[in-house]
Amino acid sequence: MDTALAVVFLSPLLLLLVAAETPVYGLYETCVVSQLSGNQNPFNYTEVVTQGLFSGPDGNTTVDGFYYQAYERSNVGGSEKLTPDGSPQWCVRYSPSSPGSFDMTFIITNSSGTFTLKTDSFEASDDKLAGFIKLGSNQVHFQYANKSTYYPVGENVCWVGEGQGTYGYDDYFGKLAANGGNYARLWLTDRAWDDLTVEVKLGNMSLDDTWRLDYVVQLAEKLDIHLLMCTESYNNFCTVSDGAHPYFWWICLFIQSCSDLYLGSV
Ligand SMILES: *[C@@H]1O[C@H](CO)[C@@H](O)[C@H](O)[C@H]1NC(C)=O
Ligand SMILES: *[C@@H]1O[C@H](CO)[C@@H](O)[C@H](O)[C@H]1NC(C)=O
Ligand SMILES: *[C@@H]1O[C@H](CO)[C@@H](O)[C@H](O)[C@H]1NC(C)=O
Ligand SMILES: *[C@@H]1O[C@H](CO)[C@@H](O)[C@H](O)[C@H]1NC(C)=O
Ligand SMILES: *[C@@H]1O[C@H](CO)[C@@H](O)[C@H](O)[C@H]1NC(C)=O
């Protein structure tokens, strides 16, 4: 084999040997194409669970993986249309909080046993990102992980116009950021409105709405808007009779009317 050819063959390998970089407080993600057998429900932990085992300067951490479908969006007469982009995958995400080298093993447990799906290594670089927001030491004000003050200015965005999907968030968040907003609350729960209802029913997540949520989070990050996710709504407790809520059965055991929620009988 002559030298020129050897270089052509070797260079992709060399690239693979250089560990990818993820900023501290940034997002590390890895995915593998999922093969489900028979009627396996990817959302039922009794049937199949994926986990990422991370080991590095943060210590050893286990993070649950998730089932994911990517989509391409298109605007059809003002309505969003999603078309699947590639096959469903198992993915896992991690946000390092210290710089240094991390090792990752992605495992799957199903009725046949536990198997390694993938191993990987990456470097967490100190890019001076502000990090996650939490209560400051006075328990009153918000601060970023890097101790800078966060003062939220924004609104309860809830949902967008019917059928607009992520295009509606482009519009709302674009205007919010242009007017100095840095905060939005999202509703993720209520089929009755056109919000991002990520859980269709108990044991079934909505792959299109979880993709939309990803889009909206990335959009918010780009526009420096921070999100408060509302994962439950009093409406679901007040409309137990329509059976729309994923936890309908157990809620019914305890709550007979909306006022039970507020008057402390449960
Ligand atoms: C369990 O996962 C392994 C690795 O992906 C796969 O080869 C096997 O077919 C799976 N078994 C079942 C019952 O899904
Ligand atoms: C989840 O709900 C969707 C839409 O109703 C349906 O197409 C899909 O088969 C369901 N998946 C499971 C695992 O129940
Ligand atoms: C952390 O994980 C690594 C790699 O899996 C292992 O060698 C080490 O013993 C673990 N450390 C602790 C404290 O569990
Ligand atoms: C924390 O991050 C914010 C936003 O990126 C930045 O303005 C600020 O200077 C950082 N503070 C420190 C102490 O690094
Ligand atoms: C989850 O899977 C187990 C085993 O197949 C089954 O008994 C259970 O009913 C499933 N749960 C849901 C919520 O589908």
Side-chain angles (χ1 to χ4, degrees), residues 83-104:
T83 313
D85 176 15
S87 307
Q89 297 176 299
W90 292 114
C91 298
V92 67
R93 291 177 178 171
Y94 183 75
S95 186
S97 40
S98 320
S101 304
F102 285 79
D103 290 319
M104 192 278 322

mmCIF file with all atom_site columns, all heavy atoms in Angstrom, residues 83-104:
data_model
loop_
_atom_site.group_PDB
_atom_site.id
_atom_site.type_symbol
_atom_site.label_atom_id
_atom_site.label_alt_id
_atom_site.label_comp_id
_atom_site.label_asym_id
_atom_site.label_entity_id
_atom_site.label_seq_id
_atom_site.pdbx_PDB_ins_code
_atom_site.Cartn_x
_atom_site.Cartn_y
_atom_site.Cartn_z
_atom_site.occupancy
_atom_site.B_iso_or_equiv
_atom_site.pdbx_formal_charge
_atom_site.auth_seq_id
_atom_site.auth_comp_id
_atom_site.auth_asym_id
_atom_site.auth_atom_id
_atom_site.pdbx_PDB_model_num
ATOM 1   N N   . THR A 1 83  ? -42.161 14.835 9.730  1.00 0.00 ? 83  THR A N   1
ATOM 2   C CA  . THR A 1 83  ? -41.881 13.599 8.997  1.00 0.00 ? 83  THR A CA  1
ATOM 3   C C   . THR A 1 83  ? -40.711 12.910 9.689  1.00 0.00 ? 83  THR A C   1
ATOM 4   O O   . THR A 1 83  ? -39.686 13.564 9.925  1.00 0.00 ? 83  THR A O   1
ATOM 5   C CB  . THR A 1 83  ? -41.467 13.933 7.534  1.00 0.00 ? 83  THR A CB  1
ATOM 6   O OG1 . THR A 1 83  ? -42.404 14.870 7.022  1.00 0.00 ? 83  THR A OG1 1
ATOM 7   C CG2 . THR A 1 83  ? -41.429 12.705 6.665  1.00 0.00 ? 83  THR A CG2 1
ATOM 8   N N   . PRO A 1 84  ? -40.851 11.611 10.060 1.00 0.00 ? 84  PRO A N   1
ATOM 9   C CA  . PRO A 1 84  ? -39.737 10.938 10.745 1.00 0.00 ? 84  PRO A CA  1
ATOM 10  C C   . PRO A 1 84  ? -38.441 11.041 9.938  1.00 0.00 ? 84  PRO A C   1
ATOM 11  O O   . PRO A 1 84  ? -38.453 10.912 8.711  1.00 0.00 ? 84  PRO A O   1
ATOM 12  C CB  . PRO A 1 84  ? -40.200 9.482  10.846 1.00 0.00 ? 84  PRO A CB  1
ATOM 13  C CG  . PRO A 1 84  ? -41.686 9.558  10.777 1.00 0.00 ? 84  PRO A CG  1
ATOM 14  C CD  . PRO A 1 84  ? -42.000 10.729 9.872  1.00 0.00 ? 84  PRO A CD  1
ATOM 15  N N   . ASP A 1 85  ? -37.335 11.302 10.655 1.00 0.00 ? 85  ASP A N   1
ATOM 16  C CA  . ASP A 1 85  ? -36.023 11.444 10.038 1.00 0.00 ? 85  ASP A CA  1
ATOM 17  C C   . ASP A 1 85  ? -35.159 10.307 10.589 1.00 0.00 ? 85  ASP A C   1
ATOM 18  O O   . ASP A 1 85  ? -34.652 10.394 11.696 1.00 0.00 ? 85  ASP A O   1
ATOM 19  C CB  . ASP A 1 85  ? -35.464 12.827 10.422 1.00 0.00 ? 85  ASP A CB  1
ATOM 20  C CG  . ASP A 1 85  ? -34.058 13.052 9.903  1.00 0.00 ? 85  ASP A CG  1
ATOM 21  O OD1 . ASP A 1 85  ? -33.612 12.287 9.031  1.00 0.00 ? 85  ASP A OD1 1
ATOM 22  O OD2 . ASP A 1 85  ? -33.402 14.005 10.384 1.00 0.00 ? 85  ASP A OD2 1
ATOM 23  N N   . GLY A 1 86  ? -35.028 9.233  9.827  1.00 0.00 ? 86  GLY A N   1
ATOM 24  C CA  . GLY A 1 86  ? -34.239 8.082  10.285 1.00 0.00 ? 86  GLY A CA  1
ATOM 25  C C   . GLY A 1 86  ? -35.048 7.189  11.213 1.00 0.00 ? 86  GLY A C   1
ATOM 26  O O   . GLY A 1 86  ? -36.246 7.402  11.426 1.00 0.00 ? 86  GLY A O   1
ATOM 27  N N   . SER A 1 87  ? -34.354 6.181  11.788 1.00 0.00 ? 87  SER A N   1
ATOM 28  C CA  . SER A 1 87  ? -35.013 5.182  12.638 1.00 0.00 ? 87  SER A CA  1
ATOM 29  C C   . SER A 1 87  ? -35.069 5.654  14.078 1.00 0.00 ? 87  SER A C   1
ATOM 30  O O   . SER A 1 87  ? -34.280 6.496  14.488 1.00 0.00 ? 87  SER A O   1
ATOM 31  C CB  . SER A 1 87  ? -34.201 3.886  12.613 1.00 0.00 ? 87  SER A CB  1
ATOM 32  O OG  . SER A 1 87  ? -33.988 3.477  11.300 1.00 0.00 ? 87  SER A OG  1
ATOM 33  N N   . PRO A 1 88  ? -35.990 5.070  14.882 1.00 0.00 ? 88  PRO A N   1
ATOM 34  C CA  . PRO A 1 88  ? -35.988 5.375  16.324 1.00 0.00 ? 88  PRO A CA  1
ATOM 35  C C   . PRO A 1 88  ? -34.672 4.934  16.956 1.00 0.00 ? 88  PRO A C   1
ATOM 36  O O   . PRO A 1 88  ? -34.033 3.986  16.489 1.00 0.00 ? 88  PRO A O   1
ATOM 37  C CB  . PRO A 1 88  ? -37.146 4.547  16.879 1.00 0.00 ? 88  PRO A CB  1
ATOM 38  C CG  . PRO A 1 88  ? -37.949 4.129  15.716 1.00 0.00 ? 88  PRO A CG  1
ATOM 39  C CD  . PRO A 1 88  ? -37.046 4.112  14.524 1.00 0.00 ? 88  PRO A CD  1
ATOM 40  N N   . GLN A 1 89  ? -34.275 5.636  18.009 1.00 0.00 ? 89  GLN A N   1
ATOM 41  C CA  . GLN A 1 89  ? -32.988 5.362  18.654 1.00 0.00 ? 89  GLN A CA  1
ATOM 42  C C   . GLN A 1 89  ? -33.151 5.308  20.169 1.00 0.00 ? 89  GLN A C   1
ATOM 43  O O   . GLN A 1 89  ? -34.104 5.869  20.716 1.00 0.00 ? 89  GLN A O   1
ATOM 44  C CB  . GLN A 1 89  ? -32.013 6.499  18.328 1.00 0.00 ? 89  GLN A CB  1
ATOM 45  C CG  . GLN A 1 89  ? -31.696 6.623  16.856 1.00 0.00 ? 89  GLN A CG  1
ATOM 46  C CD  . GLN A 1 89  ? -30.812 7.823  16.599 1.00 0.00 ? 89  GLN A CD  1
ATOM 47  O OE1 . GLN A 1 89  ? -31.176 8.959  16.873 1.00 0.00 ? 89  GLN A OE1 1
ATOM 48  N NE2 . GLN A 1 89  ? -29.602 7.565  16.113 1.00 0.00 ? 89  GLN A NE2 1
ATOM 49  N N   . TRP A 1 90  ? -32.177 4.668  20.816 1.00 0.00 ? 90  TRP A N   1
ATOM 50  C CA  . TRP A 1 90  ? -31.996 4.823  22.262 1.00 0.00 ? 90  TRP A CA  1
ATOM 51  C C   . TRP A 1 90  ? -30.940 5.903  22.442 1.00 0.00 ? 90  TRP A C   1
ATOM 52  O O   . TRP A 1 90  ? -29.877 5.837  21.820 1.00 0.00 ? 90  TRP A O   1
ATOM 53  C CB  . TRP A 1 90  ? -31.475 3.537  22.907 1.00 0.00 ? 90  TRP A CB  1
ATOM 54  C CG  . TRP A 1 90  ? -32.440 2.395  22.921 1.00 0.00 ? 90  TRP A CG  1
ATOM 55  C CD1 . TRP A 1 90  ? -32.325 1.209  22.260 1.00 0.00 ? 90  TRP A CD1 1
ATOM 56  C CD2 . TRP A 1 90  ? -33.653 2.323  23.677 1.00 0.00 ? 90  TRP A CD2 1
ATOM 57  N NE1 . TRP A 1 90  ? -33.394 0.408  22.546 1.00 0.00 ? 90  TRP A NE1 1
ATOM 58  C CE2 . TRP A 1 90  ? -34.226 1.063  23.412 1.00 0.00 ? 90  TRP A CE2 1
ATOM 59  C CE3 . TRP A 1 90  ? -34.330 3.196  24.541 1.00 0.00 ? 90  TRP A CE3 1
ATOM 60  C CZ2 . TRP A 1 90  ? -35.435 0.652  23.982 1.00 0.00 ? 90  TRP A CZ2 1
ATOM 61  C CZ3 . TRP A 1 90  ? -35.529 2.789  25.105 1.00 0.00 ? 90  TRP A CZ3 1
ATOM 62  C CH2 . TRP A 1 90  ? -36.058 1.538  24.825 1.00 0.00 ? 90  TRP A CH2 1
ATOM 63  N N   . CYS A 1 91  ? -31.237 6.876  23.292 1.00 0.00 ? 91  CYS A N   1
ATOM 64  C CA  . CYS A 1 91  ? -30.271 7.950  23.519 1.00 0.00 ? 91  CYS A CA  1
ATOM 65  C C   . CYS A 1 91  ? -30.073 8.154  25.013 1.00 0.00 ? 91  CYS A C   1
ATOM 66  O O   . CYS A 1 91  ? -30.943 7.787  25.811 1.00 0.00 ? 91  CYS A O   1
ATOM 67  C CB  . CYS A 1 91  ? -30.777 9.269  22.934 1.00 0.00 ? 91  CYS A CB  1
ATOM 68  S SG  . CYS A 1 91  ? -31.034 9.236  21.157 1.00 0.00 ? 91  CYS A SG  1
ATOM 69  N N   . VAL A 1 92  ? -28.961 8.758  25.366 1.00 0.00 ? 92  VAL A N   1
ATOM 70  C CA  . VAL A 1 92  ? -28.731 9.151  26.754 1.00 0.00 ? 92  VAL A CA  1
ATOM 71  C C   . VAL A 1 92  ? -28.040 10.508 26.744 1.00 0.00 ? 92  VAL A C   1
ATOM 72  O O   . VAL A 1 92  ? -27.271 10.811 25.825 1.00 0.00 ? 92  VAL A O   1
ATOM 73  C CB  . VAL A 1 92  ? -27.924 8.078  27.539 1.00 0.00 ? 92  VAL A CB  1
ATOM 74  C CG1 . VAL A 1 92  ? -26.498 7.934  27.029 1.00 0.00 ? 92  VAL A CG1 1
ATOM 75  C CG2 . VAL A 1 92  ? -27.922 8.382  29.039 1.00 0.00 ? 92  VAL A CG2 1
ATOM 76  N N   . ARG A 1 93  ? -28.381 11.331 27.728 1.00 0.00 ? 93  ARG A N   1
ATOM 77  C CA  . ARG A 1 93  ? -27.816 12.684 27.818 1.00 0.00 ? 93  ARG A CA  1
ATOM 78  C C   . ARG A 1 93  ? -27.211 12.914 29.194 1.00 0.00 ? 93  ARG A C   1
ATOM 79  O O   . ARG A 1 93  ? -27.694 12.358 30.180 1.00 0.00 ? 93  ARG A O   1
ATOM 80  C CB  . ARG A 1 93  ? -28.924 13.722 27.586 1.00 0.00 ? 93  ARG A CB  1
ATOM 81  C CG  . ARG A 1 93  ? -29.400 13.714 26.167 1.00 0.00 ? 93  ARG A CG  1
ATOM 82  C CD  . ARG A 1 93  ? -30.537 14.669 25.965 1.00 0.00 ? 93  ARG A CD  1
ATOM 83  N NE  . ARG A 1 93  ? -30.937 14.654 24.565 1.00 0.00 ? 93  ARG A NE  1
ATOM 84  C CZ  . ARG A 1 93  ? -32.007 15.254 24.089 1.00 0.00 ? 93  ARG A CZ  1
ATOM 85  N NH1 . ARG A 1 93  ? -32.797 15.933 24.903 1.00 0.00 ? 93  ARG A NH1 1
ATOM 86  N NH2 . ARG A 1 93  ? -32.293 15.187 22.814 1.00 0.00 ? 93  ARG A NH2 1
ATOM 87  N N   . TYR A 1 94  ? -26.203 13.766 29.205 1.00 0.00 ? 94  TYR A N   1
ATOM 88  C CA  . TYR A 1 94  ? -25.516 14.044 30.462 1.00 0.00 ? 94  TYR A CA  1
ATOM 89  C C   . TYR A 1 94  ? -24.932 15.446 30.381 1.00 0.00 ? 94  TYR A C   1
ATOM 90  O O   . TYR A 1 94  ? -24.460 15.869 29.332 1.00 0.00 ? 94  TYR A O   1
ATOM 91  C CB  . TYR A 1 94  ? -24.390 13.016 30.666 1.00 0.00 ? 94  TYR A CB  1
ATOM 92  C CG  . TYR A 1 94  ? -23.650 13.150 31.965 1.00 0.00 ? 94  TYR A CG  1
ATOM 93  C CD1 . TYR A 1 94  ? -24.226 12.728 33.160 1.00 0.00 ? 94  TYR A CD1 1
ATOM 94  C CD2 . TYR A 1 94  ? -22.364 13.703 32.006 1.00 0.00 ? 94  TYR A CD2 1
ATOM 95  C CE1 . TYR A 1 94  ? -23.544 12.854 34.366 1.00 0.00 ? 94  TYR A CE1 1
ATOM 96  C CE2 . TYR A 1 94  ? -21.683 13.826 33.211 1.00 0.00 ? 94  TYR A CE2 1
ATOM 97  C CZ  . TYR A 1 94  ? -22.278 13.399 34.380 1.00 0.00 ? 94  TYR A CZ  1
ATOM 98  O OH  . TYR A 1 94  ? -21.613 13.518 35.567 1.00 0.00 ? 94  TYR A OH  1
ATOM 99  N N   . SER A 1 95  ? -24.985 16.150 31.500 1.00 0.00 ? 95  SER A N   1
ATOM 100 C CA  . SER A 1 95  ? -24.388 17.476 31.548 1.00 0.00 ? 95  SER A CA  1
ATOM 101 C C   . SER A 1 95  ? -23.304 17.468 32.625 1.00 0.00 ? 95  SER A C   1
ATOM 102 O O   . SER A 1 95  ? -23.608 17.414 33.810 1.00 0.00 ? 95  SER A O   1
ATOM 103 C CB  . SER A 1 95  ? -25.466 18.506 31.884 1.00 0.00 ? 95  SER A CB  1
ATOM 104 O OG  . SER A 1 95  ? -24.925 19.788 31.791 1.00 0.00 ? 95  SER A OG  1
ATOM 105 N N   . PRO A 1 96  ? -22.018 17.491 32.214 1.00 0.00 ? 96  PRO A N   1
ATOM 106 C CA  . PRO A 1 96  ? -20.944 17.433 33.215 1.00 0.00 ? 96  PRO A CA  1
ATOM 107 C C   . PRO A 1 96  ? -20.915 18.706 34.058 1.00 0.00 ? 96  PRO A C   1
ATOM 108 O O   . PRO A 1 96  ? -21.190 19.787 33.544 1.00 0.00 ? 96  PRO A O   1
ATOM 109 C CB  . PRO A 1 96  ? -19.674 17.311 32.382 1.00 0.00 ? 96  PRO A CB  1
ATOM 110 C CG  . PRO A 1 96  ? -20.016 17.777 31.020 1.00 0.00 ? 96  PRO A CG  1
ATOM 111 C CD  . PRO A 1 96  ? -21.491 17.587 30.838 1.00 0.00 ? 96  PRO A CD  1
ATOM 112 N N   . SER A 1 97  ? -20.605 18.572 35.360 1.00 0.00 ? 97  SER A N   1
ATOM 113 C CA  . SER A 1 97  ? -20.480 19.792 36.163 1.00 0.00 ? 97  SER A CA  1
ATOM 114 C C   . SER A 1 97  ? -19.042 20.073 36.581 1.00 0.00 ? 97  SER A C   1
ATOM 115 O O   . SER A 1 97  ? -18.785 21.040 37.300 1.00 0.00 ? 97  SER A O   1
ATOM 116 C CB  . SER A 1 97  ? -21.431 19.778 37.360 1.00 0.00 ? 97  SER A CB  1
ATOM 117 O OG  . SER A 1 97  ? -21.496 18.526 37.933 1.00 0.00 ? 97  SER A OG  1
ATOM 118 N N   . SER A 1 98  ? -18.106 19.231 36.133 1.00 0.00 ? 98  SER A N   1
ATOM 119 C CA  . SER A 1 98  ? -16.679 19.499 36.396 1.00 0.00 ? 98  SER A CA  1
ATOM 120 C C   . SER A 1 98  ? -15.885 19.221 35.122 1.00 0.00 ? 98  SER A C   1
ATOM 121 O O   . SER A 1 98  ? -16.259 18.336 34.356 1.00 0.00 ? 98  SER A O   1
ATOM 122 C CB  . SER A 1 98  ? -16.127 18.576 37.485 1.00 0.00 ? 98  SER A CB  1
ATOM 123 O OG  . SER A 1 98  ? -17.039 18.407 38.514 1.00 0.00 ? 98  SER A OG  1
ATOM 124 N N   . PRO A 1 99  ? -14.783 19.951 34.907 1.00 0.00 ? 99  PRO A N   1
ATOM 125 C CA  . PRO A 1 99  ? -13.958 19.680 33.728 1.00 0.00 ? 99  PRO A CA  1
ATOM 126 C C   . PRO A 1 99  ? -13.138 18.401 33.923 1.00 0.00 ? 99  PRO A C   1
ATOM 127 O O   . PRO A 1 99  ? -12.838 18.028 35.056 1.00 0.00 ? 99  PRO A O   1
ATOM 128 C CB  . PRO A 1 99  ? -13.042 20.912 33.642 1.00 0.00 ? 99  PRO A CB  1
ATOM 129 C CG  . PRO A 1 99  ? -13.027 21.506 35.003 1.00 0.00 ? 99  PRO A CG  1
ATOM 130 C CD  . PRO A 1 99  ? -14.272 21.076 35.718 1.00 0.00 ? 99  PRO A CD  1
ATOM 131 N N   . GLY A 1 100 ? -12.764 17.759 32.818 1.00 0.00 ? 100 GLY A N   1
ATOM 132 C CA  . GLY A 1 100 ? -11.918 16.565 32.884 1.00 0.00 ? 100 GLY A CA  1
ATOM 133 C C   . GLY A 1 100 ? -12.420 15.475 31.952 1.00 0.00 ? 100 GLY A C   1
ATOM 134 O O   . GLY A 1 100 ? -13.304 15.699 31.127 1.00 0.00 ? 100 GLY A O   1
ATOM 135 N N   . SER A 1 101 ? -11.841 14.255 32.116 1.00 0.00 ? 101 SER A N   1
ATOM 136 C CA  . SER A 1 101 ? -12.151 13.129 31.219 1.00 0.00 ? 101 SER A CA  1
ATOM 137 C C   . SER A 1 101 ? -13.276 12.274 31.782 1.00 0.00 ? 101 SER A C   1
ATOM 138 O O   . SER A 1 101 ? -13.244 11.926 32.965 1.00 0.00 ? 101 SER A O   1
ATOM 139 C CB  . SER A 1 101 ? -10.942 12.223 31.065 1.00 0.00 ? 101 SER A CB  1
ATOM 140 O OG  . SER A 1 101 ? -9.864  12.980 30.622 1.00 0.00 ? 101 SER A OG  1
ATOM 141 N N   . PHE A 1 102 ? -14.205 11.934 30.942 1.00 0.00 ? 102 PHE A N   1
ATOM 142 C CA  . PHE A 1 102 ? -15.323 11.073 31.336 1.00 0.00 ? 102 PHE A CA  1
ATOM 143 C C   . PHE A 1 102 ? -15.339 9.811  30.481 1.00 0.00 ? 102 PHE A C   1
ATOM 144 O O   . PHE A 1 102 ? -15.027 9.864  29.291 1.00 0.00 ? 102 PHE A O   1
ATOM 145 C CB  . PHE A 1 102 ? -16.655 11.805 31.123 1.00 0.00 ? 102 PHE A CB  1
ATOM 146 C CG  . PHE A 1 102 ? -16.947 12.858 32.158 1.00 0.00 ? 102 PHE A CG  1
ATOM 147 C CD1 . PHE A 1 102 ? -16.336 14.104 32.076 1.00 0.00 ? 102 PHE A CD1 1
ATOM 148 C CD2 . PHE A 1 102 ? -17.816 12.599 33.199 1.00 0.00 ? 102 PHE A CD2 1
ATOM 149 C CE1 . PHE A 1 102 ? -16.601 15.075 33.026 1.00 0.00 ? 102 PHE A CE1 1
ATOM 150 C CE2 . PHE A 1 102 ? -18.083 13.561 34.156 1.00 0.00 ? 102 PHE A CE2 1
ATOM 151 C CZ  . PHE A 1 102 ? -17.475 14.808 34.074 1.00 0.00 ? 102 PHE A CZ  1
ATOM 152 N N   . ASP A 1 103 ? -15.724 8.681  31.115 1.00 0.00 ? 103 ASP A N   1
ATOM 153 C CA  . ASP A 1 103 ? -15.986 7.437  30.377 1.00 0.00 ? 103 ASP A CA  1
ATOM 154 C C   . ASP A 1 103 ? -17.465 7.141  30.504 1.00 0.00 ? 103 ASP A C   1
ATOM 155 O O   . ASP A 1 103 ? -18.062 7.401  31.557 1.00 0.00 ? 103 ASP A O   1
ATOM 156 C CB  . ASP A 1 103 ? -15.189 6.271  30.983 1.00 0.00 ? 103 ASP A CB  1
ATOM 157 C CG  . ASP A 1 103 ? -13.702 6.432  30.716 1.00 0.00 ? 103 ASP A CG  1
ATOM 158 O OD1 . ASP A 1 103 ? -13.361 6.841  29.590 1.00 0.00 ? 103 ASP A OD1 1
ATOM 159 O OD2 . ASP A 1 103 ? -12.911 6.167  31.637 1.00 0.00 ? 103 ASP A OD2 1
ATOM 160 N N   . MET A 1 104 ? -18.025 6.583  29.443 1.00 0.00 ? 104 MET A N   1
ATOM 161 C CA  . MET A 1 104 ? -19.455 6.310  29.429 1.00 0.00 ? 104 MET A CA  1
ATOM 162 C C   . MET A 1 104 ? -19.713 4.909  28.911 1.00 0.00 ? 104 MET A C   1
ATOM 163 O O   . MET A 1 104 ? -19.088 4.496  27.925 1.00 0.00 ? 104 MET A O   1
ATOM 164 C CB  . MET A 1 104 ? -20.119 7.327  28.505 1.00 0.00 ? 104 MET A CB  1
ATOM 165 C CG  . MET A 1 104 ? -21.603 7.426  28.540 1.00 0.00 ? 104 MET A CG  1
ATOM 166 S SD  . MET A 1 104 ? -22.579 6.230  27.567 1.00 0.00 ? 104 MET A SD  1
ATOM 167 C CE  . MET A 1 104 ? -21.706 5.979  26.081 1.00 0.00 ? 104 MET A CE  1
#
